[in-house]
Amino acid sequence: MNTATIWRTTLERLELEHTQIDAVSKAWLQDAHLLTIPHVAADDIDAPLDAQEQGVYFTLQVPNHLARDVITTRWRRSIEEILKELTGQAVTLSVTDERTEGLSSVPEQPPFEEPLSHAASQSTDFIITKNNYGSYDMAPETTMPSEFQYMTGNSGSNDSLEDWDNEQRANILMHNRLNPRYTFDAFIVGNSNRLAHAASLAVAEAPGESYNPLFLYGGVGLGKTHLLHAIGHQGVLTGLAVLYVSSEQFTNEIINAIRYRTTEEFRAKYRSVDILLVDDIQFIAGKESTEEEFFHTFNSLHEMSKQIVICSDRPPKAIVSLEERLRSRFEWGLIADIQPPDLETRMAILRVKADLLHYAIPDEIIAYIAGRVQTNIRELEGCLNRLMAYQQLHRTDLTMDVARAAMSSLGNDNRESRLDSRQIAQAVAEYYHISLAAMCGKQRDKHIVVPRQIAMYLIRQETQASLFEIGQLFGGRDHSTVLHACEKIERTINTNPTLRREVSSIREQLLRE
Ligand SMILES: Nc1ncnc2c1ncn2[C@@H]1O[C@H](COP(=O)(O)OP(=O)(O)OP(=O)(O)O)[C@@H](O)[C@H]1O
């Protein structure tokens, strides 16, 4: 079997096994090329090579960055599984959007073409939205409605554009209050934000060429503004005129332009930018003249292939009272959502933020904070700042007790009153699939002892129960046994990432209840 046959068979199997596979992924996968590293070529898979033990390394070449990220996140595991079955060997698959030299290609296939640029890779604009199955749906390009002609031909707006000299463009750059901390480098990518990040990067690398507009949406404090600014920084670096505005600012400028009869200047300003970044667009809904003006600004920029990036707390369809013609434009390019980050991503974000602040903080405390704040990264950062402030104020070492005190005294921890010891013990027993009775009893098997110690540790952390009370719950054990258990878990958590993850997952589960 050569790689072409393997890939064809893999695709057929994938489509059979995943009937909900979305149209965009399907198109990317059909365009993809499966390659192997020469010394473990797939043609040799029947030969008893070393590769039999090491497995086969495949590379899947896909058309662009976004395809790479989506296929890696959503499909790589399944493809690997199928390849494993087909080849009868362990398989490692990497997905790339670059042409990799030295890989064996498929003899019967046409020669591999240069990877497509973002512009070329997307011959038609399409809309990708998540459907109810959590996969992506694609809709065909919308045709350009006639209102699009506004201000592009007869109105003379292009003349005003030419009048808009370099000095004024420089002014725009100067007055862009882009937060220097909000860069791509400082953005942690996890499954929750991978698509939004990849799309933002694509847009920053080739403004106006790939996804236009790019519409990012997600809950409060999940990094939408951060990505907008990151795109902005990149644009500024390459000398483009970038304008970042909140929809509120846009509205105020329109009101003033109407009041002081300066609408021509307003229009010239907005239509001379190369990248327009608009935050919190949901607030323009229902504001008639703002919507009207934004509509025309959008059309002018889009026609000139200038990049527009829009953020909102909800998808266009959910912005009630937004004019239909605006909604359809927002759905024109790419819609990417940002979901709340998982525990690992929250921990990674905290670690990076702490490092940036040169704040030495043990993993255990990182896990503790990340377990507490689950849906808002701004709040997560707030906790870190509070902890620093608390520690400095009390001039104390950073310990778990200090972290707990900082959280509770600053009103960020009201869970103690909700969680009781029995509930925690029950959650731990369930997590480890053992009975509560066994965990609280006398058994000394390892698979019971460790969960018991974890339960003691969590109860100590999450409730006001004394060592004596905890001992009573666990079959009348001595307070020193409880203390020993708590200290042991506290120590081990710092050196054992698996245990740390388990404890954090239980805590997260408890806080969710
Ligand atoms: N993935 C991430 N990596 C690093 N920091 C992040 C990430 N996501 C968000 N942040 C940080 O979280 C804070 C809040 O992010 P941001 O202001 O971008 O959120 P938002 O989605 O625009 O929120 P809002 O809807 O309230 O405007 C910022 O300090 C940002 O740097």
Side-chain angles (χ1 to χ4, degrees), residues 14 18-26 28-29 60 66-80 93 95 128-137 191 194-195 337 339:
L14 192 73
H18 298 270
T19 45
Q20 88 287 14
I21 189 167
D22 57 283
V24 177
S25 295
K26 210 183 267 183
W28 281 330
L29 289 167
L60 190 65
L66 192 59
R68 180 198 62 201
D69 288 335
V70 172
I71 289 168
T72 303
T73 312
R74 298 185 62 80
W75 304 111
R76 194 185 64 183
R77 207 38 78 67
S78 313
I79 296 171
E80 270 180 353
L93 177 73
V95 183
I128 302 180
T129 48
K130 275 203 167 163
N131 64 23
N132 293 340
Y133 309 104
S135 59
Y136 303 96
D137 284 331
N191 285 339
R194 198 176 301 283
L195 181 64
D337 65 333
Q339 295 294 327

mmCIF file of all heavy atoms in Angstrom, residues 14 18-26 28-29 60 66-80 93 95 128-137 191 194-195 337 339:
data_model
loop_
_atom_site.group_PDB
_atom_site.id
_atom_site.type_symbol
_atom_site.label_atom_id
_atom_site.label_comp_id
_atom_site.label_asym_id
_atom_site.label_seq_id
_atom_site.Cartn_x
_atom_site.Cartn_y
_atom_site.Cartn_z
ATOM 1 N N LEU A 14 -12.644 7.603 7.971
ATOM 2 C CA LEU A 14 -12.929 8.756 8.840
ATOM 3 C C LEU A 14 -14.350 9.257 8.600
ATOM 4 O O LEU A 14 -15.107 9.530 9.526
ATOM 5 C CB LEU A 14 -11.920 9.859 8.560
ATOM 6 C CG LEU A 14 -11.889 11.005 9.557
ATOM 7 C CD1 LEU A 14 -11.256 10.560 10.865
ATOM 8 C CD2 LEU A 14 -11.084 12.192 9.015
ATOM 9 N N HIS A 18 -17.168 9.133 11.340
ATOM 10 C CA HIS A 18 -17.546 10.448 11.892
ATOM 11 C C HIS A 18 -18.517 11.104 10.915
ATOM 12 O O HIS A 18 -18.132 11.965 10.145
ATOM 13 C CB HIS A 18 -16.319 11.334 12.093
ATOM 14 C CG HIS A 18 -15.347 10.776 13.071
ATOM 15 N ND1 HIS A 18 -15.403 11.042 14.414
ATOM 16 C CD2 HIS A 18 -14.315 9.923 12.905
ATOM 17 C CE1 HIS A 18 -14.434 10.384 15.041
ATOM 18 N NE2 HIS A 18 -13.770 9.710 14.136
ATOM 19 N N THR A 19 -19.743 10.682 11.013
ATOM 20 C CA THR A 19 -20.702 11.185 10.033
ATOM 21 C C THR A 19 -20.949 12.681 10.212
ATOM 22 O O THR A 19 -21.406 13.357 9.309
ATOM 23 C CB THR A 19 -22.039 10.436 10.150
ATOM 24 O OG1 THR A 19 -22.353 10.359 11.533
ATOM 25 C CG2 THR A 19 -21.992 9.057 9.531
ATOM 26 N N GLN A 20 -20.621 13.193 11.404
ATOM 27 C CA GLN A 20 -20.860 14.615 11.643
ATOM 28 C C GLN A 20 -19.673 15.471 11.202
ATOM 29 O O GLN A 20 -19.645 16.659 11.466
ATOM 30 C CB GLN A 20 -21.199 14.868 13.119
ATOM 31 C CG GLN A 20 -20.039 15.103 14.077
ATOM 32 C CD GLN A 20 -19.253 13.842 14.377
ATOM 33 O OE1 GLN A 20 -19.375 12.842 13.702
ATOM 34 N NE2 GLN A 20 -18.419 13.894 15.405
ATOM 35 N N ILE A 21 -18.724 14.866 10.514
ATOM 36 C CA ILE A 21 -17.537 15.643 10.090
ATOM 37 C C ILE A 21 -17.981 16.855 9.266
ATOM 38 O O ILE A 21 -18.810 16.743 8.373
ATOM 39 C CB ILE A 21 -16.546 14.738 9.304
ATOM 40 C CG1 ILE A 21 -15.230 15.469 9.070
ATOM 41 C CG2 ILE A 21 -17.100 14.279 7.994
ATOM 42 C CD1 ILE A 21 -14.118 14.513 8.591
ATOM 43 N N ASP A 22 -17.458 17.992 9.635
ATOM 44 C CA ASP A 22 -17.954 19.237 9.036
ATOM 45 C C ASP A 22 -17.376 19.467 7.647
ATOM 46 O O ASP A 22 -16.326 18.907 7.288
ATOM 47 C CB ASP A 22 -17.592 20.401 9.938
ATOM 48 C CG ASP A 22 -16.113 20.455 10.178
ATOM 49 O OD1 ASP A 22 -15.598 19.652 10.990
ATOM 50 O OD2 ASP A 22 -15.447 21.260 9.536
ATOM 51 N N ALA A 23 -18.070 20.332 6.916
ATOM 52 C CA ALA A 23 -17.706 20.538 5.516
ATOM 53 C C ALA A 23 -16.325 21.164 5.351
ATOM 54 O O ALA A 23 -15.587 20.825 4.426
ATOM 55 C CB ALA A 23 -18.753 21.423 4.859
ATOM 56 N N VAL A 24 -15.973 22.059 6.277
ATOM 57 C CA VAL A 24 -14.685 22.735 6.134
ATOM 58 C C VAL A 24 -13.547 21.740 6.347
ATOM 59 O O VAL A 24 -12.625 21.631 5.531
ATOM 60 C CB VAL A 24 -14.564 23.886 7.156
ATOM 61 C CG1 VAL A 24 -13.197 24.532 7.054
ATOM 62 C CG2 VAL A 24 -15.633 24.906 6.903
ATOM 63 N N SER A 25 -13.650 20.971 7.431
ATOM 64 C CA SER A 25 -12.594 19.975 7.688
ATOM 65 C C SER A 25 -12.516 19.003 6.521
ATOM 66 O O SER A 25 -11.430 18.619 6.076
ATOM 67 C CB SER A 25 -12.885 19.197 8.970
ATOM 68 O OG SER A 25 -12.830 20.036 10.076
ATOM 69 N N LYS A 26 -13.684 18.611 6.022
ATOM 70 C CA LYS A 26 -13.717 17.640 4.931
ATOM 71 C C LYS A 26 -12.944 18.182 3.719
ATOM 72 O O LYS A 26 -12.110 17.498 3.140
ATOM 73 C CB LYS A 26 -15.177 17.367 4.551
ATOM 74 C CG LYS A 26 -15.372 15.968 4.011
ATOM 75 C CD LYS A 26 -16.791 15.734 3.577
ATOM 76 C CE LYS A 26 -17.639 15.122 4.647
ATOM 77 N NZ LYS A 26 -19.010 14.831 4.223
ATOM 78 N N TRP A 28 -10.636 20.461 3.695
ATOM 79 C CA TRP A 28 -9.209 20.535 3.986
ATOM 80 C C TRP A 28 -8.576 19.145 3.899
ATOM 81 O O TRP A 28 -7.494 18.974 3.372
ATOM 82 C CB TRP A 28 -8.992 21.116 5.384
ATOM 83 C CG TRP A 28 -9.121 22.605 5.452
ATOM 84 C CD1 TRP A 28 -8.848 23.499 4.454
ATOM 85 C CD2 TRP A 28 -9.542 23.371 6.578
ATOM 86 N NE1 TRP A 28 -9.076 24.784 4.904
ATOM 87 C CE2 TRP A 28 -9.494 24.735 6.196
ATOM 88 C CE3 TRP A 28 -9.940 23.061 7.871
ATOM 89 C CZ2 TRP A 28 -9.838 25.765 7.060
ATOM 90 C CZ3 TRP A 28 -10.277 24.090 8.732
ATOM 91 C CH2 TRP A 28 -10.237 25.436 8.334
ATOM 92 N N LEU A 29 -9.285 18.165 4.442
ATOM 93 C CA LEU A 29 -8.725 16.811 4.461
ATOM 94 C C LEU A 29 -8.600 16.252 3.048
ATOM 95 O O LEU A 29 -7.648 15.549 2.717
ATOM 96 C CB LEU A 29 -9.586 15.894 5.334
ATOM 97 C CG LEU A 29 -9.489 16.184 6.844
ATOM 98 C CD1 LEU A 29 -10.582 15.469 7.622
ATOM 99 C CD2 LEU A 29 -8.122 15.776 7.372
ATOM 100 N N LEU A 60 0.953 15.047 7.660
ATOM 101 C CA LEU A 60 -0.184 15.410 6.813
ATOM 102 C C LEU A 60 -0.014 16.874 6.433
ATOM 103 O O LEU A 60 0.011 17.752 7.302
ATOM 104 C CB LEU A 60 -1.489 15.210 7.596
ATOM 105 C CG LEU A 60 -2.762 15.323 6.768
ATOM 106 C CD1 LEU A 60 -2.824 14.201 5.733
ATOM 107 C CD2 LEU A 60 -3.989 15.247 7.673
ATOM 108 N N LEU A 66 -4.855 27.612 9.563
ATOM 109 C CA LEU A 66 -6.106 27.334 10.268
ATOM 110 C C LEU A 66 -6.458 25.856 10.119
ATOM 111 O O LEU A 66 -6.850 25.189 11.073
ATOM 112 C CB LEU A 66 -7.211 28.215 9.685
ATOM 113 C CG LEU A 66 -8.496 28.247 10.485
ATOM 114 C CD1 LEU A 66 -8.262 28.747 11.892
ATOM 115 C CD2 LEU A 66 -9.522 29.126 9.790
ATOM 116 N N ALA A 67 -6.256 25.350 8.897
ATOM 117 C CA ALA A 67 -6.520 23.924 8.658
ATOM 118 C C ALA A 67 -5.636 23.097 9.576
ATOM 119 O O ALA A 67 -6.072 22.121 10.185
ATOM 120 C CB ALA A 67 -6.226 23.593 7.204
ATOM 121 N N ARG A 68 -4.389 23.521 9.691
ATOM 122 C CA ARG A 68 -3.464 22.770 10.546
ATOM 123 C C ARG A 68 -3.995 22.722 11.982
ATOM 124 O O ARG A 68 -4.061 21.668 12.601
ATOM 125 C CB ARG A 68 -2.094 23.457 10.528
ATOM 126 C CG ARG A 68 -1.058 22.753 11.385
ATOM 127 C CD ARG A 68 0.105 23.679 11.682
ATOM 128 N NE ARG A 68 -0.352 24.838 12.438
ATOM 129 C CZ ARG A 68 0.303 25.987 12.510
ATOM 130 N NH1 ARG A 68 1.420 26.153 11.865
ATOM 131 N NH2 ARG A 68 -0.153 26.999 13.220
ATOM 132 N N ASP A 69 -4.429 23.885 12.487
ATOM 133 C CA ASP A 69 -4.862 23.920 13.885
ATOM 134 C C ASP A 69 -6.151 23.151 14.105
ATOM 135 O O ASP A 69 -6.302 22.421 15.069
ATOM 136 C CB ASP A 69 -5.010 25.376 14.348
ATOM 137 C CG ASP A 69 -3.642 26.022 14.503
ATOM 138 O OD1 ASP A 69 -2.671 25.285 14.717
ATOM 139 O OD2 ASP A 69 -3.545 27.241 14.391
ATOM 140 N N VAL A 70 -7.092 23.325 13.183
ATOM 141 C CA VAL A 70 -8.378 22.641 13.366
ATOM 142 C C VAL A 70 -8.200 21.129 13.223
ATOM 143 O O VAL A 70 -8.698 20.345 14.034
ATOM 144 C CB VAL A 70 -9.428 23.182 12.359
ATOM 145 C CG1 VAL A 70 -10.695 22.338 12.409
ATOM 146 C CG2 VAL A 70 -9.755 24.629 12.675
ATOM 147 N N ILE A 71 -7.429 20.724 12.226
ATOM 148 C CA ILE A 71 -7.266 19.272 12.021
ATOM 149 C C ILE A 71 -6.466 18.655 13.172
ATOM 150 O O ILE A 71 -6.790 17.584 13.657
ATOM 151 C CB ILE A 71 -6.630 18.990 10.645
ATOM 152 C CG1 ILE A 71 -7.681 19.314 9.572
ATOM 153 C CG2 ILE A 71 -6.201 17.531 10.512
ATOM 154 C CD1 ILE A 71 -7.172 19.377 8.175
ATOM 155 N N THR A 72 -5.472 19.396 13.645
ATOM 156 C CA THR A 72 -4.711 18.862 14.783
ATOM 157 C C THR A 72 -5.622 18.690 15.988
ATOM 158 O O THR A 72 -5.626 17.661 16.653
ATOM 159 C CB THR A 72 -3.550 19.823 15.145
ATOM 160 O OG1 THR A 72 -2.750 19.993 13.982
ATOM 161 C CG2 THR A 72 -2.703 19.260 16.264
ATOM 162 N N THR A 73 -6.423 19.701 16.259
ATOM 163 C CA THR A 73 -7.260 19.647 17.457
ATOM 164 C C THR A 73 -8.371 18.627 17.332
ATOM 165 O O THR A 73 -8.623 17.849 18.236
ATOM 166 C CB THR A 73 -7.922 21.029 17.691
ATOM 167 O OG1 THR A 73 -6.933 22.009 17.574
ATOM 168 C CG2 THR A 73 -8.566 21.107 19.051
ATOM 169 N N ARG A 74 -9.025 18.610 16.191
ATOM 170 C CA ARG A 74 -10.247 17.818 16.101
ATOM 171 C C ARG A 74 -10.048 16.415 15.517
ATOM 172 O O ARG A 74 -10.733 15.487 15.886
ATOM 173 C CB ARG A 74 -11.290 18.548 15.250
ATOM 174 C CG ARG A 74 -11.717 19.869 15.823
ATOM 175 C CD ARG A 74 -12.824 20.470 14.995
ATOM 176 N NE ARG A 74 -14.004 19.614 15.000
ATOM 177 C CZ ARG A 74 -14.879 19.564 15.964
ATOM 178 N NH1 ARG A 74 -14.715 20.318 17.007
ATOM 179 N NH2 ARG A 74 -15.927 18.779 15.888
ATOM 180 N N TRP A 75 -9.130 16.270 14.577
ATOM 181 C CA TRP A 75 -9.106 15.021 13.818
ATOM 182 C C TRP A 75 -7.845 14.187 13.923
ATOM 183 O O TRP A 75 -7.802 13.044 13.487
ATOM 184 C CB TRP A 75 -9.414 15.307 12.330
ATOM 185 C CG TRP A 75 -10.704 16.023 12.162
ATOM 186 C CD1 TRP A 75 -10.890 17.314 11.759
ATOM 187 C CD2 TRP A 75 -12.010 15.516 12.456
ATOM 188 N NE1 TRP A 75 -12.215 17.636 11.779
ATOM 189 C CE2 TRP A 75 -12.937 16.548 12.204
ATOM 190 C CE3 TRP A 75 -12.488 14.285 12.920
ATOM 191 C CZ2 TRP A 75 -14.295 16.393 12.384
ATOM 192 C CZ3 TRP A 75 -13.853 14.130 13.111
ATOM 193 C CH2 TRP A 75 -14.734 15.179 12.843
ATOM 194 N N ARG A 76 -6.779 14.781 14.462
ATOM 195 C CA ARG A 76 -5.518 14.041 14.422
ATOM 196 C C ARG A 76 -5.614 12.688 15.133
ATOM 197 O O ARG A 76 -5.195 11.662 14.607
ATOM 198 C CB ARG A 76 -4.378 14.859 15.048
ATOM 199 C CG ARG A 76 -3.032 14.257 14.711
ATOM 200 C CD ARG A 76 -1.887 14.921 15.387
ATOM 201 N NE ARG A 76 -1.989 14.736 16.831
ATOM 202 C CZ ARG A 76 -1.154 15.255 17.700
ATOM 203 N NH1 ARG A 76 -0.191 16.029 17.287
ATOM 204 N NH2 ARG A 76 -1.297 15.048 18.988
ATOM 205 N N ARG A 77 -6.193 12.702 16.326
ATOM 206 C CA ARG A 77 -6.299 11.461 17.099
ATOM 207 C C ARG A 77 -7.017 10.373 16.297
ATOM 208 O O ARG A 77 -6.535 9.254 16.178
ATOM 209 C CB ARG A 77 -7.087 11.819 18.353
ATOM 210 C CG ARG A 77 -6.921 11.074 19.619
ATOM 211 C CD ARG A 77 -5.585 10.599 20.036
ATOM 212 N NE ARG A 77 -4.682 11.547 20.614
ATOM 213 C CZ ARG A 77 -4.846 12.142 21.792
ATOM 214 N NH1 ARG A 77 -5.879 11.890 22.531
ATOM 215 N NH2 ARG A 77 -3.962 12.967 22.266
ATOM 216 N N SER A 78 -8.173 10.745 15.697
ATOM 217 C CA SER A 78 -8.934 9.734 14.952
ATOM 218 C C SER A 78 -8.152 9.237 13.752
ATOM 219 O O SER A 78 -8.166 8.049 13.424
ATOM 220 C CB SER A 78 -10.263 10.317 14.460
ATOM 221 O OG SER A 78 -10.902 11.001 15.481
ATOM 222 N N ILE A 79 -7.456 10.178 13.071
ATOM 223 C CA ILE A 79 -6.680 9.765 11.890
ATOM 224 C C ILE A 79 -5.576 8.799 12.318
ATOM 225 O O ILE A 79 -5.347 7.767 11.684
ATOM 226 C CB ILE A 79 -6.092 10.993 11.161
ATOM 227 C CG1 ILE A 79 -7.225 11.867 10.612
ATOM 228 C CG2 ILE A 79 -5.164 10.575 10.032
ATOM 229 C CD1 ILE A 79 -6.769 13.200 10.065
ATOM 230 N N GLU A 80 -4.929 9.129 13.425
ATOM 231 C CA GLU A 80 -3.866 8.247 13.920
ATOM 232 C C GLU A 80 -4.406 6.849 14.197
ATOM 233 O O GLU A 80 -3.778 5.847 13.856
ATOM 234 C CB GLU A 80 -3.262 8.817 15.209
ATOM 235 C CG GLU A 80 -2.100 9.750 14.963
ATOM 236 C CD GLU A 80 -1.514 10.317 16.256
ATOM 237 O OE1 GLU A 80 -2.089 10.084 17.348
ATOM 238 O OE2 GLU A 80 -0.487 10.999 16.169
ATOM 239 N N LEU A 93 1.431 11.021 13.983
ATOM 240 C CA LEU A 93 1.042 11.894 12.864
ATOM 241 C C LEU A 93 1.290 13.343 13.248
ATOM 242 O O LEU A 93 0.875 13.785 14.318
ATOM 243 C CB LEU A 93 -0.451 11.702 12.557
ATOM 244 C CG LEU A 93 -1.012 12.608 11.456
ATOM 245 C CD1 LEU A 93 -0.530 12.161 10.087
ATOM 246 C CD2 LEU A 93 -2.532 12.623 11.483
ATOM 247 N N VAL A 95 0.753 17.323 11.778
ATOM 248 C CA VAL A 95 0.024 18.060 10.749
ATOM 249 C C VAL A 95 0.785 19.348 10.478
ATOM 250 O O VAL A 95 1.180 20.035 11.414
ATOM 251 C CB VAL A 95 -1.410 18.387 11.233
ATOM 252 C CG1 VAL A 95 -2.196 19.094 10.135
ATOM 253 C CG2 VAL A 95 -2.119 17.117 11.666
ATOM 254 N N ILE A 128 -17.642 29.992 9.059
ATOM 255 C CA ILE A 128 -17.571 28.774 9.857
ATOM 256 C C ILE A 128 -18.206 29.081 11.200
ATOM 257 O O ILE A 128 -17.810 30.019 11.870
ATOM 258 C CB ILE A 128 -16.131 28.328 10.104
ATOM 259 C CG1 ILE A 128 -15.418 28.114 8.782
ATOM 260 C CG2 ILE A 128 -16.112 27.063 10.923
ATOM 261 C CD1 ILE A 128 -13.995 27.675 8.938
ATOM 262 N N THR A 129 -19.194 28.341 11.559
ATOM 263 C CA THR A 129 -19.776 28.507 12.883
ATOM 264 C C THR A 129 -19.889 27.150 13.523
ATOM 265 O O THR A 129 -19.955 26.142 12.843
ATOM 266 C CB THR A 129 -21.185 29.104 12.802
ATOM 267 O OG1 THR A 129 -21.900 28.383 11.828
ATOM 268 C CG2 THR A 129 -21.153 30.557 12.469
ATOM 269 N N LYS A 130 -19.897 27.146 14.828
ATOM 270 C CA LYS A 130 -20.058 25.859 15.488
ATOM 271 C C LYS A 130 -21.508 25.448 15.426
ATOM 272 O O LYS A 130 -22.395 26.247 15.692
ATOM 273 C CB LYS A 130 -19.609 25.980 16.937
ATOM 274 C CG LYS A 130 -18.124 25.782 17.053
ATOM 275 C CD LYS A 130 -17.750 25.354 18.413
ATOM 276 C CE LYS A 130 -16.310 24.872 18.390
ATOM 277 N NZ LYS A 130 -15.731 24.806 19.704
ATOM 278 N N ASN A 131 -21.764 24.228 15.061
ATOM 279 C CA ASN A 131 -23.139 23.763 15.082
ATOM 280 C C ASN A 131 -23.430 23.075 16.407
ATOM 281 O O ASN A 131 -22.593 23.032 17.293
ATOM 282 C CB ASN A 131 -23.406 22.840 13.893
ATOM 283 C CG ASN A 131 -22.566 21.589 13.963
ATOM 284 O OD1 ASN A 131 -22.128 21.195 15.038
ATOM 285 N ND2 ASN A 131 -22.336 20.979 12.818
ATOM 286 N N ASN A 132 -24.624 22.508 16.512
ATOM 287 C CA ASN A 132 -25.023 21.914 17.780
ATOM 288 C C ASN A 132 -24.168 20.725 18.190
ATOM 289 O O ASN A 132 -24.159 20.315 19.322
ATOM 290 C CB ASN A 132 -26.484 21.444 17.695
ATOM 291 C CG ASN A 132 -27.380 22.635 17.566
ATOM 292 O OD1 ASN A 132 -26.968 23.744 17.906
ATOM 293 N ND2 ASN A 132 -28.576 22.437 17.063
ATOM 294 N N TYR A 133 -23.475 20.154 17.212
ATOM 295 C CA TYR A 133 -22.641 19.007 17.541
ATOM 296 C C TYR A 133 -21.249 19.437 17.948
ATOM 297 O O TYR A 133 -20.383 18.628 18.162
ATOM 298 C CB TYR A 133 -22.534 18.061 16.330
ATOM 299 C CG TYR A 133 -23.868 17.718 15.762
ATOM 300 C CD1 TYR A 133 -24.321 18.294 14.582
ATOM 301 C CD2 TYR A 133 -24.698 16.832 16.445
ATOM 302 C CE1 TYR A 133 -25.563 17.986 14.078
ATOM 303 C CE2 TYR A 133 -25.943 16.530 15.935
ATOM 304 C CZ TYR A 133 -26.367 17.099 14.757
ATOM 305 O OH TYR A 133 -27.591 16.805 14.263
ATOM 306 N N GLY A 134 -21.037 20.781 17.985
ATOM 307 C CA GLY A 134 -19.713 21.253 18.358
ATOM 308 C C GLY A 134 -18.729 21.203 17.209
ATOM 309 O O GLY A 134 -17.556 21.432 17.378
ATOM 310 N N SER A 135 -19.215 20.881 16.017
ATOM 311 C CA SER A 135 -18.289 20.915 14.890
ATOM 312 C C SER A 135 -18.561 22.174 14.075
ATOM 313 O O SER A 135 -19.404 22.975 14.420
ATOM 314 C CB SER A 135 -18.446 19.662 14.039
ATOM 315 O OG SER A 135 -19.747 19.585 13.566
ATOM 316 N N TYR A 136 -17.824 22.327 12.975
ATOM 317 C CA TYR A 136 -17.919 23.570 12.234
ATOM 318 C C TYR A 136 -18.788 23.424 10.996
ATOM 319 O O TYR A 136 -18.744 22.423 10.310
ATOM 320 C CB TYR A 136 -16.521 24.038 11.821
ATOM 321 C CG TYR A 136 -15.640 24.195 13.000
ATOM 322 C CD1 TYR A 136 -14.788 23.170 13.379
ATOM 323 C CD2 TYR A 136 -15.708 25.330 13.787
ATOM 324 C CE1 TYR A 136 -13.988 23.305 14.504
ATOM 325 C CE2 TYR A 136 -14.918 25.473 14.895
ATOM 326 C CZ TYR A 136 -14.058 24.455 15.253
ATOM 327 O OH TYR A 136 -13.278 24.594 16.361
ATOM 328 N N ASP A 137 -19.548 24.433 10.740
ATOM 329 C CA ASP A 137 -20.384 24.440 9.557
ATOM 330 C C ASP A 137 -19.873 25.489 8.596
ATOM 331 O O ASP A 137 -19.385 26.523 9.007
ATOM 332 C CB ASP A 137 -21.826 24.839 9.916
ATOM 333 C CG ASP A 137 -22.541 23.689 10.570
ATOM 334 O OD1 ASP A 137 -22.196 22.527 10.266
ATOM 335 O OD2 ASP A 137 -23.425 23.955 11.375
ATOM 336 N N ASN A 191 -7.284 24.516 23.886
ATOM 337 C CA ASN A 191 -8.375 24.086 23.006
ATOM 338 C C ASN A 191 -9.504 25.100 22.947
ATOM 339 O O ASN A 191 -10.197 25.212 21.948
ATOM 340 C CB ASN A 191 -8.938 22.744 23.473
ATOM 341 C CG ASN A 191 -7.985 21.630 23.112
ATOM 342 O OD1 ASN A 191 -7.144 21.792 22.214
ATOM 343 N ND2 ASN A 191 -8.069 20.525 23.823
ATOM 344 N N ARG A 194 -8.165 28.013 20.424
ATOM 345 C CA ARG A 194 -7.228 27.699 19.332
ATOM 346 C C ARG A 194 -7.665 28.293 17.990
ATOM 347 O O ARG A 194 -6.895 28.881 17.264
ATOM 348 C CB ARG A 194 -7.087 26.184 19.201
ATOM 349 C CG ARG A 194 -5.870 25.756 18.425
ATOM 350 C CD ARG A 194 -5.737 24.253 18.412
ATOM 351 N NE ARG A 194 -5.639 23.672 19.732
ATOM 352 C CZ ARG A 194 -4.527 23.693 20.470
ATOM 353 N NH1 ARG A 194 -3.441 24.260 20.000
ATOM 354 N NH2 ARG A 194 -4.501 23.153 21.663
ATOM 355 N N LEU A 195 -8.953 28.142 17.695
ATOM 356 C CA LEU A 195 -9.440 28.618 16.400
ATOM 357 C C LEU A 195 -9.346 30.147 16.331
ATOM 358 O O LEU A 195 -8.867 30.704 15.341
ATOM 359 C CB LEU A 195 -10.897 28.164 16.194
ATOM 360 C CG LEU A 195 -11.524 28.559 14.874
ATOM 361 C CD1 LEU A 195 -10.810 27.893 13.708
ATOM 362 C CD2 LEU A 195 -13.009 28.188 14.858
ATOM 363 N N ASP A 337 -15.182 31.382 17.910
ATOM 364 C CA ASP A 337 -15.570 31.601 19.303
ATOM 365 C C ASP A 337 -14.407 31.313 20.247
ATOM 366 O O ASP A 337 -13.459 30.622 19.905
ATOM 367 C CB ASP A 337 -16.771 30.721 19.671
ATOM 368 C CG ASP A 337 -16.432 29.250 19.629
ATOM 369 O OD1 ASP A 337 -15.520 28.900 18.864
ATOM 370 O OD2 ASP A 337 -17.052 28.463 20.353
ATOM 371 N N GLN A 339 -14.017 29.844 24.083
ATOM 372 C CA GLN A 339 -14.723 29.203 25.194
ATOM 373 C C GLN A 339 -13.921 29.390 26.479
ATOM 374 O O GLN A 339 -12.740 29.706 26.430
ATOM 375 C CB GLN A 339 -14.858 27.697 24.907
ATOM 376 C CG GLN A 339 -15.723 27.357 23.704
ATOM 377 C CD GLN A 339 -17.173 27.730 23.917
ATOM 378 O OE1 GLN A 339 -17.681 27.673 25.032
ATOM 379 N NE2 GLN A 339 -17.843 28.150 22.863
#
